[in-house]
Amino acid sequence: MAEAILLVGGKGTRLRPLTVHTPKPMVRAAGVPFLTHQLARARAAGVDHIVLATSYLAEVFEPYFGDGSALGLHIEYVTEEEPLGTGGAIRNVASRLHSGPDDPVLVFNGDILTGLDIGALVRTHESTGADVSLHLTKVTDPRAYGLVPTDETGRVLAFLEKPQTPEEIVTDQINAGAYVFRRSVIDTIPRGRPVSVERETFPDLLAAGAHLQGLVDSTYWLDLGTPAAFVRGSADLVLGRAPSPAVPGRCGDRLILPTATVAPDAKLTGGTVVGEGAFVAEGARVFGSTILPGAVIEPGAVITDSLIGTRARVGRRTILTGTFIGDGAVIGADNELRDGVRVWCDARIPAGSVRFSSDQ
């Protein structure tokens, strides 16, 4: 396996305010931009050439990753002038591929954290002679996803939109966002207009009699599209539940990056990560949360399953549960924020202003 396309052009609207200043793949998970984990896993699977299909805030990728040599990769960058969708983005970077017509090309969505055996997906593709092979995973509740039923050999039978009734749930298999394309198939995708592989390319190929193969791999899989999922994914990387060779330290209950300062009696558990230059003061308790670089957690704050943005500040005794604080925001002392609250970048919440329970 030699080359891959990574789709990293999305605006990450579901992740805002985390993506106001940062494209989704560059938001830090377990201490490094999430994209670093995907690149490292691809390299570990034998990929050496990767094309990044960028769009939103495209200018931040290349200064960070350069030519990819630090990761043992050759990385190229292609920027969409207008968003082209998943299929359009794949077609837009095709000229940068080196593969022959029948060679396999890996394609990854830029917001999926997975333990997929990439080599097994490639071997399945080659052994079955498929035109496209898809990673499928099983989910407990498939109503929020498009379904992909297969026959007993794994050949894809249909692509079904999100089921609306129990009768429409004919399988628990869903598209998990990783593919192997026969190189020549990429050239059949229309050029210069938005195309969705999920809604257009794959159904059209199936209707034309192409061979689409599914590989069910139900190891770790998480769509990082929401702030809560992103925080959970970061914690799972720190805890070692999600595999990545790019975690900058040993897996365990916490990960403290160089230049971060944590008071001796502060308690960090549940896969918490504290970024470079951040400060966690005495008596603070942080569980399963991400503290981004330069953030300050003041004495006695209690933070659970939350993300604190770059250079943000959380005041004394403030309690945050399932809360997402944008870059540069300041949460004053003695506040209590819960259950999916998002505080926008550079916002100010005065001391004692918001509570979900009595102040006694």
Side-chain angles (χ1 to χ4, degrees):
M1 193 63 230
E3 58 185 349
I5 298 168
L6 261 168
L7 304 176
V8 294
K11 290 185 176 180
T13 52
R14 290 186 298 158
L15 272 178
R16 288 168 69 89
L18 311 185
T19 52
V20 170
H21 303 304
T22 307
K24 176 168 50 177
M26 296 299 287
V27 178
R28 289 177 177 245
V32 296
F34 174 66
L35 179 56
T36 310
H37 299 290
Q38 291 187 303
L39 293 171
R41 281 185 46 78
R43 181 68 190 97
V47 175
D48 58 19
H49 177 223
I50 292 185
V51 185
L52 296 187
T54 68
S55 179
Y56 176 64
L57 296 175
E59 65 277 5
V60 308
F61 292 95
E62 189 166 1
Y64 189 92
F65 292 106
D67 63 4
S69 56
L71 293 169
L73 292 164
H74 172 51
I75 297 178
E76 295 187 66
Y77 305 84
V78 177
T79 301
E80 301 166 20
E81 300 305 320
E82 298 290 337
L84 294 172
T86 49
I90 293 168
R91 183 67 180 89
N92 191 51
V93 306
S95 63
R96 302 294 185 93
L97 299 173
H98 306 149
S99 302
D102 291 325
D103 290 339
V105 177
L106 271 161
V107 178
F108 298 107
N109 283 345
D111 54 2
I112 301 296
L113 178 59
T114 176
L116 167 69
D117 184 339
I118 297 170
L121 181 63
V122 175
R123 291 191 295 274
T124 295
H125 178 80
E126 293 177 331
S127 66
T128 59
D131 296 298
V132 181
S133 298
L134 300 86
H135 172 207
L136 308 179
T137 193
K138 294 178 180 289
V139 294
T140 303
D141 183 359
R143 289 176 297 177
Y145 303 95
L147 309 185
V148 187
T150 55
D151 68 15
E152 64 278 2
T153 70
R155 188 159 182 158
V156 173
L157 300 174
F159 291 90
L160 307 176
E161 286 300 309
K162 297 174 183 178
Q164 303 300 310
T165 66
E167 292 74 25
E168 292 178 294
I169 303 176
V170 298
T171 181
D172 58 357
Q173 297 174 178
I174 66 165
N175 178 354
Y179 320 112
V180 181
F181 277 75
R182 186 190 302 272
R183 170 68 179 84
S184 57
V185 173
I186 292 176
D187 293 330
T188 69
I189 299 173
R191 185 199 299 268
R193 68 168 176 86
V195 180
S196 165
V197 291
E198 300 86 354
R199 295 181 179 84
E200 182 176 345
T201 303
F202 292 157
D204 287 356
L205 284 169
L206 207 59
H211 179 177
L212 277 71
Q213 186 73 21
L215 172 68
V216 177
D217 181 322
S218 294
T219 54
Y220 186 97
W221 183 86
L222 185 64
D223 175 354
L224 300 185
T226 66
F230 200 95
V231 169
R232 179 153 58 94
S234 177
D236 285 346
L237 283 161
V238 174
L239 292 165
R241 294 172 180 166
S244 169
V247 176
R250 297 180 61 182
C251 292
D253 235 14
R254 63 184 191 173
L255 176 65
I256 301 172
L257 275 292
T259 72
T261 303
V262 177
D265 68 341
K267 186 175 182 180
L268 310 178
T269 57
T272 288
V273 57
V274 182
E276 295 93 336
F279 176 71
V280 181
E282 61 270 12
R285 289 180 286 153
V286 187
F287 178 85
S289 297
T290 295
I291 312 299
L292 290 182
V296 174
I297 311 301
E298 294 187 0
V302 180
I303 300 172
T304 304
D305 298 335
S306 298
L307 183 142
I308 313 303
T310 301
R311 301 179 307 282
R313 178 179 289 267
V314 177
R316 292 171 177 263
R317 298 174 300 278
T318 280
I319 298 171
L320 305 180
T321 304
T323 301
F324 313 102
I325 310 301
D327 297 341
V330 176
I331 313 300
D334 299 308
N335 282 292
E336 180 188 9
L337 306 179
R338 295 184 177 275
D339 303 329
V341 167
R342 306 183 192 206
V343 177
W344 236 247
C345 299
D346 300 314
R348 300 288 187 272
I349 296 181
S353 296
V354 180
R355 297 197 64 85
F356 281 68
S357 60
S358 168
D359 61 349
Q360 301 298 315

